[in-house]
Amino acid sequence: MQPDHIRASDSDRDRVAERLRDALAEGRLSPTELEDRLDDLYRAKTVGELAPIVADLPTSEPTQRPLLGSEARDLAEQSKGSENLVAVFGGCERRGRWLVEPRTNVSVLCGGAELDLREAVLSQNEVTIQLAVILGGVDIIVPHGVRVINNTSAILGGADVHGTDQVTEPNAPVVRLTGTCMLGGITVKAKKPRR
């Protein structure tokens, strides 16, 4: 352990900021609390001043997040915690290089939504997609090796995950589906990345 009086480095601050972002994604901190703690973090001069900022948070495990390239890491640092996608009597889509927030809310009424995660950057190793589908459909495409956990409820509708819930690799990225599908459908498929 470093003595408390040693000056904090940029990498020390980055580690603490990472723990704070994880705590926000897990629901341990509100966005306002995150903002306050980040202010304290960047005012801190020594390692001892960093410790109280995360004293009430669990330690993060290094295996939770895969190593990211610099472009993906920059994108992940722009995380706001959640995103809302709405398709009412129409459609919405997310494809290409985009940031999948820790929580993405998708609301579909008499329409459709397509989420292509093959080139996306997951803000953390496990993300949640909360679905509210009425008289519509949602198509989700993930790259091979991503585990999809379906916790949705269906009323005169259904969800088909096409075997992506069978991925057993312990460190595999996880997409958790929650919410309700009424008179509609949710389809999840694994496909190779586009060339």
Side-chain angles (χ1 to χ4, degrees):
M1 294 293 290
Q2 292 178 308
D4 289 349
H5 66 277
I6 293 195
R7 300 281 291 195
S9 69
D10 287 342
S11 64
D12 293 331
R13 288 187 184 86
D14 289 345
R15 277 193 297 275
V16 173
E18 182 74 17
R19 284 180 64 193
L20 292 174
R21 280 192 293 275
D22 288 345
L24 173 69
E26 294 165 0
R28 297 180 195 278
L29 293 177
S30 70
T32 305
E33 290 172 314
L34 174 68
E35 212 171 290
D36 292 343
R37 291 187 189 211
L38 286 174
D39 288 344
D40 293 342
L41 168 67
Y42 292 111
R43 276 198 302 267
K45 301 262 189 255
T46 66
V47 173
E49 292 171 340
L50 295 178
I53 297 170
V54 292
D56 60 343
L57 300 175
T59 58
S60 58
E61 298 186 20
T63 58
Q64 285 183 336
R65 180 176 286 185
L67 295 174
L68 300 175
S70 61
E71 177 199 355
R73 194 170 35 253
D74 291 344
L75 191 59
E77 287 174 357
Q78 297 171 18
S79 175
K80 293 183 173 55
S82 68
E83 179 178 12
N84 296 314
L85 301 173
V86 180
V88 178
F89 293 101
C92 69
E93 69 177 7
R94 293 290 259 142
R95 62 176 59 221
R97 195 70 159 171
W98 61 289
L99 178 65
V100 183
E101 297 285 356
R103 183 177 184 89
T104 301
N105 302 306
V106 180
S107 304
V108 176
L109 173 64
C110 298
E114 182 181 335
L115 306 178
D116 187 340
L117 279 65
R118 290 177 291 177
E119 297 176 33
V121 174
L122 300 184
S123 56
Q124 59 185 32
N125 202 50
E126 181 174 326
V127 296
T128 299
I129 299 178
Q130 170 79 29
L131 299 158
V133 182
I134 301 172
L135 293 168
V138 176
D139 293 323
I140 301 172
I141 302 169
V142 298
H144 291 285
V146 172
R147 182 171 180 218
V148 178
I149 300 173
N150 179 23
N151 291 331
T152 59
S153 301
I155 303 167
L156 297 174
D160 188 356
V161 294
H162 292 286
T164 55
D165 56 344
Q166 314 253 327
V167 175
T168 57
E169 170 64 36
N171 294 323
V174 176
V175 176
R176 185 177 298 276
L177 304 179
T178 62
T180 304
C181 178
M182 186 175 359
L183 297 168
I186 301 164
T187 304
V188 182
K189 294 180 183 174
K191 292 186 179 178
K192 293 180 181 177
R194 284 186 270 176
R195 291 183 178 167

